[in-house]
Amino acid sequence: MKISFINELARLCDHLKINVNDVSEGVGLDNRIGPHFLNAGMGYGGSCFPKDVNALIQIAKDHNHTLSILEKVVEVNETQPQYFIEKIKQVLGGVLENKTIAVIGLSFKANTDDTRESPSLVLINKLVEEQAAVRVHDPIVKITTAASIHQFQSIEETVTGAHALVIGTDWDVYKQLDWGSLKPLMEQPNIFDGRNLLDKGILEVLGFHYTGVANH
């Protein structure tokens, strides 16, 4: 509930040009709420959250009861990757057909190879539907690739020729990359940070067009 709450607030923050991280920090200072799970991103995944929330909703329906808050939690979570796709389309001229998109990070969170209900994979599938060519990387996850999806062992190979790069998982290794050396490899220096992992100011000084999740 807290994850979808902050993601929905992030959409409002985008319209108001407010940094959702400031809002999250303020809300989290209330010890009745706390700071945990208030990081805006592309949504929650994994083996537990989606399954358990959906199971609870179904139990309620079986007993002719509606859990409207939890239903909204699921709705926000399922639409968050598409919301991020729209951000990419706005920067790339409205269409993704024939555009090369690099997605780094495939697991639903860092330090695991678990891709169950991963927002990154949802986003990748939507990119393919938009007829983009997708190049992917993850420190440990290996996926079965299709004609329009190619996985590479190195970040350098992954970003080469990309019109945009999307950070899908908050791996520390991505935070520590030499982004200045990667910029010349890209067709266009667009970074879409789906985890608000990087420092926007530093990336913009390096010449990137940086878009986070309501990270204004």
Side-chain angles (χ1 to χ4, degrees), residues 17 31 38 40-43 47 61 79 113 117 131 146 181 199:
K17 305 303 180 185
N31 59 18
L38 281 177
M42 291 197 300
S47 61
K61 288 181 178 179
T79 56
D113 63 355
E117 305 292 337
Q131 300 184 54
S181 68
D199 187 307

Side-chain angles (χ1 to χ4, degrees), residues 21-206:
N21 295 326
D22 295 335
V23 176
S24 175
E25 181 180 1
V27 172
L29 288 173
D30 188 326
N31 59 18
R32 295 167 298 178
I33 301 171
H36 303 295
F37 302 106
L38 281 177
N39 298 317
M42 291 197 300
Y44 61 80
S47 61
C48 296
F49 279 177
K51 172 177 63 66
D52 293 345
V53 172
N54 287 328
L56 191 54
I57 291 172
Q58 188 58 51
I59 289 171
K61 288 181 178 179
D62 291 343
H63 292 81
N64 299 315
H65 191 74
T66 300
L67 297 177
S68 56
I69 292 177
L70 287 188
E71 288 179 355
K72 187 63 178 180
V73 165
V74 173
E75 179 186 336
V76 171
N77 195 62
E78 290 180 346
T79 56
Q80 192 68 3
Q82 183 61 45
Y83 182 76
F84 211 64
I85 289 283
E86 295 305 317
K87 287 174 171 283
I88 300 172
K89 291 173 71 173
Q90 288 174 11
V91 173
L92 296 186
V95 295
L96 299 180
E97 184 177 2
N98 298 322
K99 295 292 195 304
T100 299
I101 312 295
V103 179
I104 60 173
L106 302 174
S107 55
F108 83 94
K109 66 177 182 179
N111 305 314
T112 180
D113 63 355
D114 194 344
T115 60
R116 285 173 289 185
E117 305 292 337
S118 170
S120 290
L121 297 189
V122 175
L123 180 125
I124 287 170
N125 288 334
K126 291 183 180 295
L127 289 172
V128 171
E129 290 174 4
E130 295 277 353
Q131 300 184 54
V134 183
R135 303 164 72 88
V136 302
H137 177 275
D138 190 276
I140 59 176
V141 173
K142 304 298 178 186
I143 62 171
T144 301
T145 58
S148 56
I149 304 173
H150 300 279
Q151 184 166 13
F152 297 90
Q153 291 188 342
S154 73
I155 294 290
E156 289 77 12
E157 291 176 289
T158 307
V159 306
T160 296
H163 296 87
L165 179 146
V166 179
I167 299 176
T169 311
D170 53 347
W171 287 98
D172 283 341
V173 66
Y174 296 152
K175 193 172 185 178
Q176 298 163 6
L177 289 172
D178 181 0
W179 288 98
S181 68
L182 296 177
K183 179 174 174 285
L185 302 177
M186 299 177 66
E187 181 69 22
Q188 295 179 16
N190 297 308
I191 290 181
F192 296 87
D193 190 348
R195 296 296 178 181
N196 286 345
L197 180 69
L198 306 179
D199 187 307
K200 177 182 180 180
I202 292 175
L203 270 294
E204 289 180 341
V205 168
L206 291 173

